[in-house]
């Protein structure tokens, strides 16, 4: 059975992740305040998606208890480590990453 993106947003909210709607096929917020509109309240999430095929944004940080870092695969301006090398340096400096989902 096909589940809508709204169904998935509800699953994430039930997991404790504050979700917000993104414009279809984009990463731009569909709400006025973007990630500040993120919620775990099921009624709010249902209303946010309604009948719209919005993408799902998850507000990271303390609001959802999850943190994200992005290790780029190409050199940033000015050089520096990339991809696996950058990740290896982070692990060497701060220790192994915690288990993740």
């Amino acid at each position: 059975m096909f589940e809508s993106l709204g169904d998935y947003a509800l699953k994430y909210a039930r997991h404790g992740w504050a979700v917000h709607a993104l414009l279809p096929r984009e990463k731009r917020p569909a709400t006025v305040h973007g990630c500040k509109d993120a919620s775990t309240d099921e009624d709010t999430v249902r209303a946010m998606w309604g009948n719209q095929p919005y993408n799902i944004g998850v507000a990271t940080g303390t609001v959802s208890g999850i943190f994200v870092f992005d290790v780029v695969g190409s050199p940033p301006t000015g050089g520096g480590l990339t991809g696996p090398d950058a990740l290896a340096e982070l692990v060497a400096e701060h220790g192994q990453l915690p288990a993740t989902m």
Side-chain angles (χ1 to χ4, degrees):
M1 172 191 248
F2 174 76
E3 293 184 84
S4 71
L5 290 172
D7 292 334
Y8 282 103
L10 280 170
K11 285 183 180 185
Y12 296 159
R14 290 176 185 141
H15 192 68
W17 297 349
V19 296
H20 61 99
L22 301 175
L23 293 173
R25 295 185 167 90
E26 294 191 32
K27 294 181 180 180
R28 290 186 302 144
T31 62
V32 175
H33 303 290
C35 67
K36 292 182 180 178
D37 289 329
S39 180
T40 58
D41 179 75
E42 291 188 28
D43 291 333
T44 301
V45 172
R46 281 189 197 93
M48 206 177 304
W49 267 262
N51 293 319
Q52 298 297 321
Y54 290 136
N55 282 346
I56 303 168
V58 177
T60 59
T62 55
V63 68
S64 293
I66 58 176
F67 298 86
V68 176
F69 66 92
D70 186 2
V71 180
V72 298
S74 60
T77 303
L81 296 176
T82 62
D85 293 332
L87 180 58
E89 184 174 280
L90 286 170
V91 169
E93 185 175 337
H94 300 285
Q96 284 297 320
L97 298 174
T100 63
M101 294 182 65

